[in-house]
Amino acid sequence: ANLVLHQTVERIHVGKKYGDIPRGIFVVRGENVVLLGEIDLEKESDTPLQQVSIEEILEEQRVEQQAKQESEKLKVQALKERGLCIPRADTLDEY
């Protein structure tokens, strides 16, 4: 069965903070549904997470992704210096 989701929200987590981005209506094909659940609003208020604005969570997400990319570059550089090479994710299909 297909799902029609109304008033959907995308929740982005970064560390102990989260932000909700309203996304509206979604139609999901039934073959793509693995699990469906509903948030218990009473239990949600007990979480140690802090809700922040959309702009703040998107900025924190960008900073986190940038830090991961820099870390990955350093790993690849260290491996190259030792004569090792890891294929890039976008070239894995060639193997």
Side-chain angles (χ1 to χ4, degrees):
N2 297 332
L3 299 176
V4 178
L5 305 174
H6 179 65
Q7 296 180 341
T8 57
V9 175
E10 177 183 0
R11 180 164 285 181
I12 298 175
H13 293 265
V14 178
K16 296 275 185 183
K17 297 179 181 177
Y18 73 93
D20 290 340
I21 302 173
R23 294 295 186 189
I25 296 176
F26 273 87
V27 177
V28 183
R29 289 179 55 111
E31 63 189 27
N32 295 318
V33 177
V34 176
L35 180 66
L36 176 67
E38 187 175 347
I39 295 175
D40 185 345
L41 296 176
E42 292 176 11
K43 290 183 180 179
E44 182 183 26
S45 63
D46 295 338
T47 63
L49 301 176
Q50 173 190 5
Q51 185 173 8
V52 296
S53 70
I54 295 170
E55 294 81 15
E56 186 176 341
I57 199 67
L58 290 175
E59 177 62 21
E60 291 207 19
Q61 183 182 42
R62 186 191 64 76
V63 169
E64 182 181 63
Q65 288 173 345
Q66 200 172 32
K68 285 181 181 179
Q69 287 175 347
E70 289 298 320
S71 173
E72 189 62 29
K73 284 181 185 177
L74 291 174
K75 287 178 189 177
V76 169
Q77 182 180 359
L79 289 171
K80 280 184 181 179
E81 290 171 357
R82 291 168 176 79
L84 301 171
C85 181
I86 295 179
R88 295 190 327 250
D90 59 342
T91 62
L92 289 177
D93 290 338
E94 296 174 8
Y95 294 101

